[in-house]
C-alpha cells in the first residue's frame, strides 16, 4: 500500500487525539507490544514511510506490522502484507494529535484471525450508507469479518436475479411493521459494499438462513415452504422437495457470485425445531425419509444440512452454521461452527473434538441485543446482561467451565470471536449504534490484543478518549461513564426479558 497524499491527509485530518488532554497513546485495540521512546515528532506526509516486505510474512504475520516513530526519521511502517500496512496506518492515525505523534516502537499482530461483527438486517433493515459507516468503524478498530444476516422471517433482503419475488414480496415488512414497503439491497449495492469492505481488508460473510427462519422466502415462493407453527407460519423450507433444494442452490450460486472472496457462506441451521411440526406429515418429507432411510425429523434436518453444506463446499467455500449443525455429518475441515448457545458448552466441546473450525459468539457476552446496563429496559437478559466489562473479559472470563475455556483459548481450531446484533428491538440506526458502541470496541480489543496485555482499567481510560471521537463521526454510542439515557425505539414490538430458550421468541 502506498501512502498516497490523499490517504495521509485523511489520516492527519482524522487524527485521534485532537481533543485529548494527556499524552497517553489511546490506541484501541491495544497493540501487542508498544514502547514509548520519549518525546514527540511532527509528521508531515513526506515523513511517513511505508515499507512492504512480502518475504517477511513469518516475522510480521498476515495482518501484523511494525511502526517506528523517531525524531530523526519520522514514521516508518513495515509489514509483509497490505492489510498489515493498513493496520499500521490505522494505529498511527490513532496516535496523532494534529500533526504530532509520540516517538515509539510498536510491534503488533492480532490474537485471532477472525474478528467479527454480525448484523441482522432482516428484523429491521439497515440501509447501505449505515453499513458503510459500520465498516468504517470496523476498519478503525481492526475488525475483519462482517457477517451479514440477510434473510429471516421478517424479510428477505438480498436481490436474487433468478427469483425476483424474494425481494419484491419477501422484502416487504419488518418486525415493527409487517406491511412496510419492501426493503432490500440490490445486487449493485451489494457489489459496491463488498468492494468497499475489501478496500478496508474486511471480508463479508453472507448468511442465507435455512432450513428454518425462512418465512420471508416462503411468502414470496410458497411452493417451497415446509410448514411452521401457529406462531411462526411457514418457518421452514420443505427439505423433501428436490425443487426446493434446486431453488436454494440457485440462490447460493448467485450469493457466491456476489461475494466471490467470502471464504465462508453461512447457511444458518438454527432453531429448526421451532417450526418443523409439519415435517411429520409432508408427503415430500415422507418420500425423502423412505428414499434415504431417515428415521425421523432430526435425521431429515441432518440430511438437509449435510446436503446443502456439501453443495456450498462445491462452490469453493467453507460452510458456516450455527452450532445446531454440529452433528449433521458435514466435512469438519470445511465447516465453521458458530458457537452461540452459551448454555450448551457441550456443543463447543464437541466442535473442538470433531476437528471443526470454530467462531466463538456465545450469547453471553457476545450478543449485543442483550442489555448493557441493568437499569435499561429494552433488550434481552438471561441470568445477566452483557455489560462492557463482560464483553471485554471474554474469552478469559466466560460462562464456560474453566478447563474447556482454556482448551478453546489455546486451540488453533478457534478462528476467533464475533459479536452479533439481532435487530428485533432496533428499528432505527440510533438504537443499533447505541447497542453496538462502545461494546464493539471492547470486542475488538479482546479479539486483537494478547490476553496478557488486556486490562479493563486501561481500556476504560482509552475509551474515554474515543467516545467523543465516535460521536464526532456521527455514531450514536452509549456512554457507560456518563450513563447516557437508553435509546429506545417507539413503537417497538419486542422487549426481551429473561426467558428460557424454549420460550424464546425467535
Ligand atoms: C436466537 S442466534 C436467534 C436469532 C434471534 C436471537 C435473539 C440464532 C442463531 N438465532 O434468530 O434473533 O436469538 O437474541
Amino acid at each position: 500500500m502506498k501512502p498516497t497524499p490523499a490517504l495521509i491527509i485523511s489520516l492527519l485530518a482524522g487524527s485521534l487525539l485532537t481533543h485529548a488532554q494527556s499524552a497517553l497513546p489511546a490506541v484501541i485495540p491495544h497493540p501487542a507490544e508498544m514502547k514509548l521512546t520519549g518525546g514527540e515528532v511532527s509528521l508531515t506526509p513526506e515523513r511517513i514511510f511505508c515499507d512492504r516486505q512480502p518475504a517477511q510474512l513469518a516475522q510480521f504475520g498476515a495482518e501484523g506490522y511494525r511502526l517506528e516513530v523517531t525524531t530523526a526519521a519520522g514514521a516508518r511502517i513495515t509489514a509483509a502484507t497490505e492489510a498489515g500496512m493498513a493496520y499500521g496506518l490505522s494505529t498511527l492515525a490513532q496516535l496523532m494529535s494534529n500533526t504530532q505523534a509520540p516517538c515509539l516502537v510498536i510491534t503488533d499482530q492480532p490474537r485471532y484471525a477472525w474478528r467479527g461483527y454480525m448484523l441482522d438486517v432482516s428484523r429491521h433493515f439497515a440501509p447501505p450508507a449505515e453499513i458503510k459507516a459500520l465498516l468504517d468503524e470496523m476498519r478503525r478498530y481492526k475488525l475483519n469479518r462482517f457477517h451479514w444476516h440477510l434473510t429471516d422471517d421478517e424479510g428477505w433482503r438480498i436481490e436474487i436475479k433468478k427469483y425476483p419475488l424474494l425481494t419484491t414480496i419477501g422484502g416487504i415488512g419488518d418486525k415493527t411493521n409487517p406491511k412496510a414497503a419492501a426493503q432490500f439491497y440490490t445486487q449493485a449495492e451489494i457489489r459496491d459494499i463488498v468492494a468497499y469492505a475489501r478496500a478496508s481488508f474486511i471480508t463479508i460473510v453472507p448468511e442465507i438462513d435455512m432450513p428454518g427462519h425462512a418465512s420471508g422466502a416462503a411468502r414470496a415462493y410458497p411452493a417451497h415452504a415446509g410448514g411452521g407453527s401457529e406462531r411462526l407460519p411457514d418457518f421452514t423450507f420443505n427439505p423433501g422437495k428436490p425443487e426446493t433444494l434446486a431453488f436454494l442452490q440457485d440462490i447460493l450460486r448467485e450469493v457466491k457470485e456476489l461475494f466471490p472472496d467470502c471464504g465462508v457462506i453461512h447457511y444458518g441451521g438454527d432453531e429448526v425445531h421451532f417450526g418443523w411440526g409439519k415435517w411429520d406429515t409432508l408427503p415430500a418429507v415422507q418420500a425423502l425419509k423412505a428414499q434415504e432411510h431417515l428415521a425421523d425429523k432430526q435425521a431429515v434436518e441432518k440430511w438437509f444440512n449435510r446436503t446443502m453444506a456439501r453443495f456450498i463446499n462445491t462452490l469453493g467455500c467453507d460452510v458456516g452454521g450455527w452450532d445446531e449443525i454440529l452433528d449433521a455429518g458435514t466435512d469438519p475441515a470445511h465447516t465453521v461452527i458458530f458457537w452461540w448457545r452459551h448454555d450448551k458448552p457441550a456443543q463447543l466441546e464437541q466442535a473442538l473434538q470433531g476437528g471443526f473450525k470454530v467462531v466463538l459468539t456465545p450469547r453471553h457476552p457476545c450478543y449485543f441485543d442483550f442489555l448493557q446496563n441493568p437499569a435499561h429496559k429494552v433488550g434481552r437478559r438471561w441470568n445477566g446482561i452483557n455489560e462492557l466489562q463482560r464483553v471485554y473479559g471474554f474469552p478469559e472470563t466466560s460462562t464456560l467451565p474453566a478447563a474447556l475455556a482454556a482448551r478453546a483459548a489455546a486451540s488453533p481450531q478457534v478462528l476467533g470471536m464475533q459479536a452479533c446484533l439481532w435487530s428485533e428491538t432496533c428499528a432505527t440506526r440510533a438504537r443499533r449504534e447505541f447497542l453496538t458502541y462502545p461494546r464493539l470496541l471492547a470486542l475488538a480489543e479482546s479479539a486483537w490484543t494478547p490476553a496478557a496485555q488486556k486490562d479493563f482499567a486501561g481500556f476504560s481510560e482509552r475509551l474515554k478518549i474515543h467516545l467523543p471521537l465516535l460521536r464526532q463521526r456521527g455514531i450514536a454510542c452509549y456512554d457507560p461513564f456518563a450513563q447516557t439515557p437508553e435509546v429506545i425505539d417507539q413503537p417497538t414490538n419486542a422487549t426481551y426479558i429473561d426467558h428460557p430458550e424454549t420460550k424464546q421468541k425467535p
Side-chain angles (χ1 to χ4, degrees), residues 114-405:
W114 187 295
R115 305 178 301 279
Y117 177 73
M118 189 218 78
L119 181 64
D120 164 12
V121 293
S122 174
R123 276 56 179 268
H124 289 102
F125 185 69
E130 180 181 338
I131 303 292
K132 287 188 175 176
L134 167 66
L135 292 168
D136 288 345
E137 297 308 323
M138 289 180 64
R139 170 181 55 79
R140 274 196 181 91
Y141 296 108
K142 303 188 175 76
L143 294 161
N144 67 354
R145 291 290 187 289
F146 174 49
H147 172 172
W148 209 355
H149 186 79
L150 287 160
T151 71
D152 213 302
D153 304 308
E154 286 77 359
W156 182 283
R157 309 293 183 206
I158 173 173
E159 181 187 23
I160 300 294
K161 297 279 188 199
K162 191 160 185 182
Y163 302 109
L165 304 185
L166 281 171
T167 40
T168 54
I169 294 183
I172 294 176
D174 59 25
K175 188 84 187 174
T176 302
N177 174 12
K179 297 205 170 80
Q183 303 167 89
F184 59 92
Y185 308 99
T186 64
Q187 292 207 345
E189 286 170 334
I190 292 201
R191 286 185 208 280
D192 177 52
I193 289 171
V194 168
Y196 191 87
R198 188 185 299 123
S200 294
F201 303 94
I202 296 169
T203 303
I204 304 191
V205 173
E207 180 181 352
I208 306 295
D209 209 341
M210 62 184 80
H213 289 283
S215 327
R219 282 194 295 280
Y221 293 95
H224 297 306
S229 64
E230 207 179 311
R231 192 164 59 82
L232 300 164
D234 289 336
F235 181 73
T236 65
F237 289 111
N238 186 336
K241 261 194 176 177
E243 302 89 313
T244 301
L245 266 67
F247 166 78
L248 291 170
Q249 293 176 352
D250 289 341
I251 290 169
L252 290 167
R253 265 189 220 99
E254 284 195 35
V255 167
K256 170 67 185 178
E257 277 173 29
L258 290 169
F259 299 90
D261 313 320
C262 59
V264 178
I265 291 180
H266 198 299
Y267 74 153
D270 54 317
E271 301 178 325
V272 183
H273 64 278
F274 279 7
W276 64 355
K278 279 210 186 121
W279 290 12
D280 284 329
T281 50
L282 280 177
V285 176
Q286 302 326 303
L288 177 73
K289 279 184 179 162
Q291 187 190 318
E292 299 289 334
H293 310 290
L294 306 171
D296 49 25
K297 299 195 280 289
Q298 284 83 349
V300 170
E301 178 186 355
K302 287 179 196 167
W303 178 88
F304 175 90
N305 287 342
R306 183 162 66 241
T307 304
M308 295 309 294
R310 280 187 193 144
F311 177 76
I312 288 172
N313 290 160
T314 66
L315 296 175
C317 295
D318 284 356
V319 65
W322 302 107
D323 61 54
E324 285 93 330
I325 70 156
L326 198 49
D327 49 6
T330 68
D331 173 2
H334 295 288
T335 305
V336 184
I337 299 291
F338 288 66
W339 177 64
W340 68 283
R341 291 181 294 177
H342 70 279
D343 56 331
K344 291 187 166 42
Q347 297 291 110
L348 174 58
E349 176 113 55
Q350 199 185 323
L352 293 175
Q353 268 165 14
F356 292 92
K357 302 177 195 180
V358 175
V359 170
L360 304 172
T361 182
R363 277 175 294 222
H364 277 315
C366 294
Y367 274 23
F368 287 180
D369 54 330
F370 278 61
L371 303 184
Q372 56 189 324
N373 178 316
H376 293 172
K377 299 275 184 282
V378 178
R380 293 191 70 188
R381 314 171 176 261
W382 181 329
N383 301 325
I385 63 167
N386 292 338
E387 300 101 327
L388 187 67
Q389 186 161 9
R390 196 171 192 186
V391 177
Y392 189 82
F394 187 75
E396 294 75 55
T397 52
S398 73
T399 57
L400 283 171
L404 177 57

Side-chain angles (χ1 to χ4, degrees), residues 30-41:
H30 196 280
E33 281 173 43
M34 179 167 80
K35 210 169 104 206
L36 294 169
T37 48
E40 48 179 49
V41 53

